[in-house]
Structures are given as structure tokens and as C-alpha cells.
């Protein structure tokens, strides 16, 4: 119930306009978002790289409403790839197709995404197409497979969500064509005809898809903070003799940092998804919805930091 409410709030642009400059909301965001600028984000990446963690940078932004905004987002990604290269960071990028104009015009979206992929290819980098709600699943997979993958094979990959009933079939197909997949549970509230309503089924489907990807997939990204699933991945790798460099774990910036450190200590690969930018509100609300206890946890932290006079803010470089 509270989760649905938080997800409802995540879609309310009027609330974002209200909280955009609110210090308390920005403090909450700073736990999950690496500031509002390219400099704060690349500084966060450098810090993670120093701990042996690779990154995927996400310039926050979702469904844009005009071509100008989409082109600006595309240009910012090209600049981001250049900055990663210039600063020698171990990072790739993740983007949302709706931020590139997917809701405006397919041809425009293709032109923008291809310009990003050309730059990624030139720099030997990689672009992950994040997956949004199930309304976009088929469109995103078709776009990926028909318009991008043939020209940019090792430089582009998709995301599949174990919450969706179709995902095991999509996983098999991705394995058949050899493309790179990030597997996650799925962050969106979905209708029961397309998604499993029960968490235990989402988790079981995750494990089923994960086994297939680990055994036969192309360098899968296992995006989860679920300790039971992570333990199963390690067990399965050992049992099947799958080397630690054939897959990577992926986690979100600021989430389960203890587990992140443990994975690196144990010699597994870890990539942290590092979101940044001014459009942090929907992203923050999805993270809070995943674990409503975060609302109280972060509020408590902020109050303690206010008490000790050391409060951090989005955009402050923290
Ligand atoms: C690298 C990465 C990329 C992602 N990309 C996408 C995408 O493209 N599309 C999409 O729909 N979703 C994406 N997600 C989000 C994902 O779908 C889930 O919503 C999110 O990861 C929570 O699921 P979980 O697997 O961690 O398991 P859960 O069962 O939700 O959580 C397991 C445990 O992890 C911890 N945890 C999980 N979330 C949080 C949190 N927010 N704060 C604190 N602790 C937490 C808790 O200890 C929890 O008990 C991505 C996630 C990651 C890690």
C-alpha cells in the first residue's frame, strides 16, 4: 500500500517541482544520487573505482516531451562518454529510451541513441538501455534488436526484469542472439496479467533466468542486492565451474554498501549504477518504494547529521 503510494508520488511532476529545491528532499536524494553535475558524478565514480568497483553512469531523466529536450539529453550522454574517457574512469553508461525521445518519434530516438553508441564504440565503451515499465518492454527489445544490436553488438545491451512473466522467454532469446543482458527484478508496479504479483515468484524467476544467463549468456550483469540470490549465484558459479570474470554483480549507488564491499573482497566483479543530475525525484521515489523503511532510515540519518552539523546535499559534491 505504502509502496504503491510512493510509486504514485514518483509520477507526480507537480510534487517534483515543489521539492526540487527543498533541502530535506535533496538530503534524502544524496544517499542514492551522486549529485546534480558531471563533476560530482565523476568524482563519485573515481572514489568507487579506487575501491575496485566499476560503474555505470546514468544521467537522470525520463520521458521527455519535445525533440529539443531529447537532443539535449543525447548530447549530454556524448559529453559524459568523453568525460569518462578523458578522466580515465572505469565506467560505462546507462540510459532510458524515453529520455531519448522514444515517446515522441522513433526516428528521432534512433538518431539520438545511435549518436551515443557511435561515441561509445569509438571509445571502446558500452551503453546499457535501462528497461522501463512493461508498456515499453516489446518496443525497447524490438528497437534494440532490429535497429541497434546489428551495428553495435558488444557496445550495447538490454535489461530484463524477472517480475515479468515473459522474461524467461526473453532471456532464452537474448542468449540465442548472444547479446549482453542485465537481469533485475523490476522497479515498476505492473498489472498481474503481465507480472508476478508474489515476490517469491519474482525471485524464483530471477534465479531461473540467472542460471541460464550464467551458463550460456554473454557476460550477464546480475543486478540485485538480494543476499539469497547473490549467494545462489556464487554457489552456482562454483558448482558449474563458471569463472568470476564471466559475469558481474551490479548494485545501486548507496544501497547495501556493506554487501558491495564484501563482493569485492571475495574477488567477484561489481559494477555500481551511479545516477546523477537534476531529475532525481522519480528515481529517489522508486528507491524509497523498494524499501519503505528507507524513508525512516534516511530521515533518521539526516536528523542526526543536522544535529552534528555535517549534512550532505545533492549537488554539493558529496
Ligand atoms: C544496477 C541496477 C540496475 C537496475 N536497472 C533497472 C532497470 O533498468 N529497470 C528496472 O525496472 N529496475 C532496475 N533496477 C531496479 C531493480 O529492478 C529493483 O527494483 C531493485 O534492485 C531492488 O531489487 P533487489 O533485486 O535488490 O531485491 P529486493 O528483493 O527488492 O531487495 C533485496 C534486499 O536488498 C536490499 N535493498 C533493495 N533495494 C533497496 C533499497 N532501495 N534501499 C535499501 N536496501 C535495498 C534490502 O536489504 C532488501 O531486503 C536496477 C537495479 C540495479 C541494482
Amino acid at each position: 500500500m505504502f509502496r504503491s503510494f510512493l510509486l504514485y508520488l514518483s509520477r507526480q511532476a507537480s510534487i517534483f517541482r515543489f521539492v526540487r529545491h527543498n533541502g530535506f528532499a535533496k538530503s534524502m536524494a544524496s544517499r542514492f544520487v551522486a549529485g546534480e553535475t558531471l563533476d560530482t558524478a565523476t568524482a563519485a565514480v573515481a572514489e568507487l573505482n579506487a575501491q575496485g568497483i566499476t560503474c555505470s553512469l546514468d544521467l537522470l531523466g525520463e520521458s521527455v516531451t519535445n525533440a529539443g529536450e531529447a537532443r539535449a539529453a543525447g548530447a549530454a550522454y556524448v559529453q559524459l562518454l568523453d568525460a569518462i574517457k578523458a578522466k580515465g574512469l572505469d565506467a560505462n553508461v546507462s540510459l532510458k529510451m524515453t529520455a531519448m525521445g522514444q515517446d515522441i518519434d522513433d526516428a528521432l530516438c534512433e538518431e539520438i541513441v545511435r549518436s551515443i553508441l557511435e561515441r561509445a564504440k569509438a571509445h571502446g565503451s558500452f551503453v546499457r538501455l535501462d528497461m522501463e515499465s512493461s508498456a515499453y518492454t516489446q518496443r525497447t527489445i524490438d528497437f534494440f534488436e532490429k535497429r541497434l544490436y546489428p551495428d553495435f553488438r558488444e557496445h550495447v545491451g538490454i535489461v530484463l526484469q524477472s517480475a515479468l512473466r515473459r522474461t524467461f522467454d526473453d532471456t532464452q532469446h537474448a542468449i540465442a542472439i548472444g547479446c549482453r543482458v542485465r537481469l533485475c527484478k523490476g522497479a515498476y508496479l505492473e498489472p498481474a496479467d503481465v507480472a508476478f504479483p508474489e515476490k517469491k515468484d519474482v525471485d524464483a524467476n530471477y534465479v531461473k533466468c540467472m542460471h541460464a544467463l550464467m551458463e550460456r549468456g554473454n557476460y550477464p550483469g546480475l543486478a540485485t542486492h538480494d543476499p539469497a540470490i547473490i549467494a545462489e549465484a556464487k554457489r552456482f558459479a562454483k558448482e558449474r565451474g563458471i569463472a568470476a570474470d564471466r559475469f558481474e554483480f551490479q548494485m545501486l549507488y548507496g544501497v547495501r554498501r556493506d554487501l558491495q564491499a564484501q563482493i569485492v573482497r571475495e574477488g567477484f566483479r561489481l559494477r555500481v549504477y551511479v545516477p546523477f543530475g537534476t531529475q532525481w525525484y522519480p528515481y529517489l521515489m522508486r528507491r524509497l518504494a523498494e524499501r519503505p523503511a528507507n524513508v525512516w532510515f534516511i530521515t533518521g540519518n539526516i536528523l542526526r547529521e543536522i544535529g552534528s552539523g555535517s549534512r550532505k546535499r545533492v549537488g554539493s559534491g558529496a
Side-chain angles (χ1 to χ4, degrees):
M1 187 64 188
F2 192 43
R3 173 169 189 248
S4 310
F5 179 59
L6 291 169
L7 287 173
Y8 164 79
L9 291 181
S10 78
R11 299 189 294 272
Q12 305 310 306
S14 55
I15 297 184
F16 181 39
R17 280 194 293 277
F18 178 70
V19 300
R20 166 79 172 78
H21 300 289
N22 177 286
F24 188 77
K26 288 175 96 173
S27 295
M28 283 192 108
S30 69
R31 169 72 198 222
F32 299 113
V33 177
E36 291 193 344
T37 67
L38 184 62
D39 283 347
T40 57
T42 52
V45 170
E47 225 173 89
L48 288 161
N49 283 174
Q51 297 165 37
I53 297 172
T54 62
C55 297
S56 192
L57 274 159
D58 168 39
L59 174 58
L60 290 168
E62 318 202 356
S63 195
V64 294
T65 51
N66 65 65
E69 281 174 0
R71 285 189 200 287
Y77 265 96
V78 169
Q79 198 192 352
L80 180 55
L81 284 162
D82 287 346
I84 290 170
K85 172 93 176 162
K87 292 177 191 250
L89 298 172
D90 193 346
N92 60 34
V93 300
S94 295
L95 60 80
K96 290 196 171 33
M97 298 287 284
T98 59
M100 304 296 139
Q102 192 178 26
D103 283 336
I104 303 171
D105 175 41
D106 272 356
L108 170 78
C109 182
E110 180 171 355
E111 180 198 320
I112 294 170
V113 176
R114 287 184 78 91
S115 71
I116 298 168
L117 283 169
E118 293 290 357
R119 190 60 65 95
K121 195 171 176 177
H123 290 340
S125 190
F126 178 82
V127 178
R128 179 78 64 182
L129 309 183
D130 284 346
M131 191 60 84
E132 298 174 69
S133 76
S134 62
Y136 295 97
T137 309
Q138 192 59 50
R139 285 174 64 190
T140 302
I141 289 175
D142 285 346
F143 193 90
F144 166 77
E145 196 175 332
K146 296 186 181 123
R147 302 188 188 209
L148 304 177
Y149 185 57
D151 292 334
F152 297 101
R153 302 181 85 83
E154 284 303 308
H155 302 283
V156 65
I158 47 163
V159 178
L160 297 177
Q161 300 152 319
S162 71
L164 301 188
R165 295 178 189 275
R166 56 177 289 161
T167 290
F168 187 64
D169 291 343
D170 290 337
T171 300
Q172 298 286 38
H173 182 67
I175 290 171
I177 66 171
C179 71
R180 278 173 63 175
V181 172
R182 171 200 294 154
L183 181 65
C184 67
K185 290 188 186 176
Y188 300 83
L189 208 54
E190 301 287 2
D193 58 327
V194 298
F196 299 106
E198 300 286 331
K199 179 170 159 48
K200 68 171 179 16
D201 297 324
V202 175
D203 293 356
N205 197 36
Y206 191 107
V207 171
K208 188 171 151 192
C209 298
M210 177 179 84
H211 284 166
L213 285 166
M214 288 180 75
E215 250 187 340
R216 296 179 286 116
N218 178 4
Y219 194 63
L222 308 178
T224 184
H225 317 89
D226 187 326
I229 292 181
I230 292 167
E232 172 56 21
K234 293 176 188 166
R235 188 205 64 77
F236 189 73
K238 194 169 174 201
E239 179 190 284
R240 304 292 162 108
I242 300 166
D245 63 359
R246 286 212 11 233
F247 62 95
E248 65 184 25
F249 289 109
Q250 298 186 351
M251 296 194 187
L252 300 175
Y253 182 75
V255 175
R256 291 303 307 265
R257 289 183 288 208
D258 54 335
L259 208 50
Q260 296 184 9
Q262 187 189 333
I263 282 175
V264 174
R265 264 199 317 275
E266 290 173 352
F268 291 98
R269 291 187 173 186
L270 174 68
R271 185 176 302 276
V272 164
Y273 183 99
V274 180
F276 75 101
T278 55
Q279 302 300 306
W280 43 263
Y281 173 73
Y283 180 86
L284 169 67
M285 296 309 283
R286 283 200 298 277
R287 300 293 78 82
L288 297 180
E290 266 152 22
R291 193 167 174 266
N294 276 339
V295 175
W296 321 121
F297 170 73
I298 296 175
T299 302
N301 279 350
I302 293 169
L303 292 176
R304 270 192 295 281
E305 282 169 6
I306 290 172
S308 67
S310 66
R311 185 156 57 131
K312 291 178 179 178
R313 292 191 164 195
V314 173
S316 69

